[in-house]
């Protein structure tokens, strides 16, 4: 069962206050920490990374009263140490193996494929061209293609990655809306 | 493989689970404490997914990737999304080539477009062959364009000549039309003058033959002095003949120091039937008077009053005198 963070307005305010005196900065830090925790647990092979991240935050929130007065240092370190403990607890409980059908699940066409096609059509022509070019070909030709793209666009690999990332984020949002519309029909 | 920074190499090894514990903890701590580092790791994560989907990983990397990414719903979702994108890209590739020129599939990059690079990415031919083909196409194109230009120039010249000749013909035609119009005008004028001459000759003839008409009176005149009695017996009489056209008046002025005069003609009922303003006094011997004339139609038989007003320097009208007369027809 997925556990939500124990967030009341009061406890959330306490946490934000502990993260940063500026509320806006504090909210941004909170989001970054939560995303980082999910990533950490996921990269360690935890199947419920989001739940474990929220559990970490829950435990930190419980301690914010004493942390505010007794703790000095980067809050990130405290989160990390709590996360380590939670990971150890997880290891004791889990029996991890990849279900054999996952690989084939990946190969099956996604239920979002139709929406993806529609969303690709809605992209600006240049963005559509870039994202499709980026996924063209395979193996060595793909690597050469990426190099050619960076030269063509007079940009770096990092910037190309950023552009592709933004286009993919746009597509993901579009697909979510498309799925909503399909479900409402 | 493209050049990667040391940072990127470490992140990649972290994501695939190759980092030793100590280095792994450093990376994870930095993820929690540095937002920019988190964003960079997310980007490289996406690239790793792309490499997996496109089959660019070694078997060992693949195994590690599947262990860490495919065991989470989020990782699975990322991989599915990338797989779908790849399918779309491969399906669209052939359509893009066929529909070249269509706006939606035009393969235009965001910034610079190198035809050579584009061709290289599409067709696996050596660079120099592609360059040679390009040069050949350009030369052929230039030749065709030059020939078309020459032919177009010749056509334009022929058209210009034809147009010039048409203009000349048109000018001659216009001259001819003008001349004809002028001739017509002169003909009409000549005819009119001939008719006028004939009429004048007739009039001259009739004038020579006509006798003067002694009884024809066209103008009736009357001299009026102010202050004559109002009674009908003492009124001046204006006699109007059958052919009288106008009545001429001369009013003797008692006061001559006004700038100007106004005269108002009233009938027996006291209604003004005529007026004249800004009249100037005219000297006649030792006296001054006002001269004016009226059409006789205004004066049916009856008694009339002429009221005289003097106009002062300030432009005011002051009553000056009254003149009474009677019109009688014979």
């Amino acid at each position: 069962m997925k556990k939500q963070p124990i967030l009341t307005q009061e406890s959330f305010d306490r946490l934000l206050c502990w993260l940063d005196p500026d509320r806006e900065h504090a909210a941004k830090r909170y989001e970054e920490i939560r995303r980082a925790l999910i990533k950490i647990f996921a990269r360690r092979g935890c199947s419920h990374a989001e739940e474990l991240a929220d559990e970490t935050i829950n435990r930190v929130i419980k301690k914010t009263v004493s942390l505010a007065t007794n703790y000095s240092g980067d809050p990130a370190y405290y989160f990390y140490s709590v996360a380590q403990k939670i990971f150890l607890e997880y290891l004791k409980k889990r029996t991890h193996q990849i279900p054999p059908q996952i690989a084939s699940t990946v190969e099956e066409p996604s239920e979002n494929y139709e929406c993806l096609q529609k969303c690709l059509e809605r992209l600006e022509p240049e963005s559509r061209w870039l994202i499709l070019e980026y996924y063209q070909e395979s193996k060595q030709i793909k690597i050469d293609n990426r190099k050619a793209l960076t030269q063509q666009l007079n940009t770096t690999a990092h910037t190309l990655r950023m552009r592709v990332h933004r286009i993919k984020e746009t597509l993901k949002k579009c697909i979510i809306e498309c799925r909503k519309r399909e479900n409402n029909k | 493989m493209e050049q990667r920074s040391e940072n990127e190499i470490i992140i990649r090894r972290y994501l695939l689970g190759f980092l030793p514990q100590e280095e792994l903890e450093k990376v994870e701590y930095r993820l929690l404490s540095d937002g920019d580092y988190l964003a960079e790791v997310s980007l490289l994560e996406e690239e790793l997914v792309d490499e997996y989907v496109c089959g660019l990983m070694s078997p060992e990397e693949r195994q590690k990737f599947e262990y860490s990414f495919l065991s989470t719903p989020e990782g699975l979702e990322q991989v599915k999304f990338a797989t779908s994108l790849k399918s779309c890209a491969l399906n669209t590739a052939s359509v893009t080539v066929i529909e070249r020129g269509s706006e939606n599939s035009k393969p235009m990059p965001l910034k610079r477009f190198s035809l050579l690079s584009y061709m290289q990415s599409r067709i696996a031919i050596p660079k120099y062959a592609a360059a040679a083909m390009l040069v050949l196409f350009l030369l052929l194109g230039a030749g065709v364009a030059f020939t078309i230009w020459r032919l177009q120039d010749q056509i334009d010249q022929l058209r210009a000549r034809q147009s010039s000749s048409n203009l000349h013909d048109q000018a001659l035609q216009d001259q001819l039309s003008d001349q004809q119009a002028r001739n017509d005008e002169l003909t009409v004028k000549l005819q009119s003058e001939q008719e006028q001459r004939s009429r004048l000759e007739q009039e001259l003839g009739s004038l020579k033959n006509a006798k003067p008409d002694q009884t024809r009176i066209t103008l009736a005149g009357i001299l009026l002095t102010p202050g004559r009695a109002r009674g009908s017996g003492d009124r001046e009489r204006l006699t109007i003949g059958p052919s009288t056209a106008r009545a001429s008046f001369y009013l003797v002025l008692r006061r001559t120091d006004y700038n100007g005069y106004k005269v108002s003609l009233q009938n027996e009922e006291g209604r003004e039937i005529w007026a004249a303003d800004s009249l100037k006094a005219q000297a006649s011997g030792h006296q001054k008077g006002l001269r004016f004339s009226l059409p006789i139609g205004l004066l049916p038989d009856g008694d009339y009053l002429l009221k005289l007003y003097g106009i002062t320097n300030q432009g005011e009208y002051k009553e000056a005198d009254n003149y009474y007369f009677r019109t009688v027809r014979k």
Side-chain angles (χ1 to χ4, degrees), chain B residues 68-117:
Chain B
S68 60
F69 273 82
L70 299 187
S71 57
T72 66
E74 298 80 16
L76 197 56
E77 208 48 49
Q78 273 186 295
V79 169
K80 278 189 175 180
F81 180 66
T83 307
S84 299
L85 265 176
K86 182 169 181 257
S87 298
C88 274
L90 291 174
N91 288 339
T92 311
S94 56
V95 176
T96 304
V97 170
I98 293 166
E99 291 181 353
R100 198 184 303 277
S102 161
E103 188 178 341
N104 284 341
S105 60
K106 188 164 64 171
M108 289 299 293
L110 291 170
K111 291 190 180 174
R112 289 193 330 209
F113 177 66
S114 163
L115 182 59
L116 179 62
S117 303

Side-chain angles (χ1 to χ4, degrees), chain B residues 96-164:
Chain B
T96 304
V97 170
I98 293 166
E99 291 181 353
R100 198 184 303 277
S102 161
E103 188 178 341
N104 284 341
S105 60
K106 188 164 64 171
M108 289 299 293
L110 291 170
K111 291 190 180 174
R112 289 193 330 209
F113 177 66
S114 163
L115 182 59
L116 179 62
S117 303
Y118 174 70
M119 285 176 65
Q120 281 182 332
S121 70
R122 292 275 179 220
I123 308 164
I125 54 174
K127 283 185 187 178
Y128 68 84
M133 275 172 61
L134 184 63
V135 168
L136 188 61
F137 279 130
L138 285 172
L139 284 172
L140 279 173
V144 168
F146 179 70
T147 308
I148 291 172
W149 174 80
R150 258 190 36 208
L151 289 171
Q152 190 65 43
D153 189 48
Q154 284 176 7
I155 291 169
D156 288 343
Q157 281 178 17
L158 286 169
R159 278 189 184 148
R161 273 190 225 140
Q162 191 182 17
S163 165
S164 156

Side-chain angles (χ1 to χ4, degrees), chain A residues 29 39 42-44 46 74 80 94 96 102 113 126 128-129 133 135-136 139 152 161-162 165, chain B residues 28-29 32 43 45-47 50 54 56 67-68 70-72 84 89 91 104 107 110 112 122:
Chain A
R29 283 292 292 128
K39 216 172 276 300
R43 295 293 77 75
R44 289 191 181 196
C46 302
D74 187 357
Y80 189 55
R94 77 152 187 189
H96 177 80
I102 283 182
Y113 188 78
E126 292 87 359
R128 183 169 54 249
W129 173 82
E133 273 295 300
Y135 282 92
Q136 290 284 347
K139 297 192 178 176
Q152 253 180 286
R161 250 181 252 135
M162 282 294 302
H165 170 74
Chain B
E28 288 183 339
Y29 173 67
L32 283 164
L43 272 184
E45 205 172 61
E46 274 188 24
E47 191 168 277
D50 293 340
C54 296
L56 293 174
Y67 177 82
S68 60
L70 299 187
S71 57
T72 66
S84 299
N91 288 339
N104 284 341
L110 291 170
R112 289 193 330 209
R122 292 275 179 220

Side-chain angles (χ1 to χ4, degrees), chain B residues 19-32:
Chain B
L19 278 187
Q21 187 62 28
E22 196 181 326
E23 284 190 55
L24 179 138
E25 286 178 3
K26 282 181 189 171
V27 169
E28 288 183 339
Y29 173 67
R30 201 173 162 193
L31 274 175
L32 283 164

